[in-house]
Amino acid sequence: IEKDMWGKRFPVYFRWKEQWYHRYQKTGYIDSLTGFRYSGVMSKNDCINYPIQGSAFHCLLWSLVHLDQYLYNHGYDSRIVGQIHDSIVLDIHPDELEDVVRLIRKITTDELLSNWKWIIVPLEVEFEICDVDASWADKKELNFFLNILGL
């Protein structure tokens, strides 16, 4: 299965993984596309995952910081309350929902791509929402409703 996976289905990715690991073995560090340098004792999996997962996390943090600045500077009542895995968690004032959704899409897709030219694929963002004071167990996908509204 491994030979089929890496030798036939994904040989370019396999070569990239090997080159990346050999570079780490030679230099003792890995530089990410976002400018971070990872060094120290790392396994082969660490060397392969850090540049991908680390850069993705930096994109999330970049978006979070810019979103927070915009909400604060423009007098919104909506606020970021946290970050969990690959998500930004907000308390959104119901009257600001459409504006905040538009802003999130603009920052996380358009502005992020403009800031980091190495991102060469279109980005998408998904939304889940729950009613005011409701449990997260009651979250529902918001994308369907946004498409109807043309957002």
Side-chain angles (χ1 to χ4, degrees):
I1 291 172
E2 289 285 321
K3 286 181 183 179
D4 181 61
M5 176 86 154
W6 303 121
K8 294 180 182 175
R9 298 180 76 193
F10 303 106
V12 174
Y13 179 58
F14 176 76
R15 286 191 302 275
W16 175 85
K17 292 190 321 178
E18 293 299 310
Q19 291 168 350
W20 204 258
Y21 185 60
H22 291 301
R23 188 178 320 141
Y24 162 73
Q25 288 178 312
K26 185 176 179 179
T27 64
Y29 63 85
I30 297 169
D31 287 329
S32 75
L33 294 171
T34 55
F36 272 68
R37 176 166 283 178
Y38 303 102
S39 61
V41 178
M42 291 188 271
S43 70
K44 187 173 185 177
N45 281 346
D46 292 337
C47 293
I48 295 162
N49 289 333
Y50 284 8
I52 297 168
Q53 292 177 351
S55 295
F57 181 66
H58 295 149
C59 290
L60 176 69
L61 288 181
W62 186 95
S63 298
L64 189 144
V65 167
H66 286 82
L67 175 61
D68 186 58
Q69 288 174 339
Y70 190 95
L71 293 173
Y72 180 80
N73 290 338
H74 291 85
Y76 281 81
D77 290 322
S78 300
R79 289 287 180 260
I80 296 171
V81 295
Q83 170 272 320
I84 300 174
H85 300 292
D86 60 352
S87 299
I88 299 173
V89 181
L90 298 99
D91 276 342
I92 299 178
H93 189 283
D95 295 340
E96 298 174 350
L97 179 62
E98 287 185 32
D99 287 345
V100 172
V101 165
R102 281 189 179 101
L103 179 62
I104 291 169
R105 278 205 171 136
K106 180 180 178 202
I107 289 172
T108 61
T109 59
D110 300 336
E111 292 179 11
L112 185 63
L113 287 171
S114 296
N115 186 67
W116 281 327
K117 301 294 185 195
W118 53 267
I119 302 174
I120 59 172
V121 296
L123 300 176
E124 294 182 12
V125 62
E126 297 174 353
F127 297 90
E128 292 179 321
I129 193 167
C130 42
D131 293 330
V132 175
D133 296 327
S135 166
W136 281 11
D138 298 325
K139 285 187 306 185
K140 52 189 173 270
E141 188 177 319
L142 186 62
N143 292 321
F144 173 76
F145 302 105
L146 296 174
N147 289 335
I148 291 173
L149 296 173
L151 300 175

